[in-house]
Amino acid sequence: MAELLSDEEIANSLPDAWGREGDEIVRVYEFDDYLRGVNFAQMVGEIAEAQYHHPEMIVRYEEVEIRLTSHEEGGITDADVEMAELIESERRT
């Protein structure tokens, strides 16, 4: 089992544009149209499957909201931060 991160560790390790809401880290990505968001959500799903760490994703008309938490541990762990970093690195490419 992974250990929960402290409030300070979370604050210091979140990628830019990610925030914290309770026991989750959250980011909303904006897109020019719906299908770009759907394609992005599919890419995130492929990363998640490879990492065996599955985020909650909400696809809206021009945005995709991603929420990460480690349910088994009851909060935010390194696995959540790592997943956020992987999503960010793929978004830039």
Side-chain angles (χ1 to χ4, degrees):
M1 286 180 68
E3 290 189 26
L4 294 176
L5 298 177
S6 69
D7 291 341
E8 184 177 344
E9 289 171 320
I10 294 166
N12 291 334
S13 62
L14 285 182
D16 290 341
W18 283 79
R20 178 181 182 183
E21 292 182 12
D23 289 339
E24 299 176 316
I25 57 174
V26 181
R27 173 148 187 216
V28 175
Y29 293 87
E30 295 183 1
F31 298 91
D32 293 334
D33 61 58
Y34 179 72
L35 286 180
R36 288 183 195 271
V38 169
N39 289 335
F40 174 73
Q42 179 178 348
M43 184 264 311
V44 170
E46 291 171 7
I47 294 170
E49 190 67 16
Q51 294 296 309
Y52 200 71
H53 192 76
H54 302 97
E56 177 180 322
M57 292 188 281
I58 302 169
V59 179
R60 298 185 185 98
Y61 177 62
E62 292 183 338
E63 65 184 27
V64 175
E65 178 180 321
I66 298 180
R67 295 179 166 271
L68 295 164
T69 191
S70 294
H71 295 285
E72 308 82 32
E73 283 75 20
I76 301 165
T77 68
D78 282 330
D80 302 303
V81 173
E82 181 181 333
M83 183 69 189
E85 290 170 347
L86 286 169
I87 294 167
E88 287 298 307
S89 68
E90 286 298 315
R91 175 72 168 135
R92 287 190 287 270
T93 60

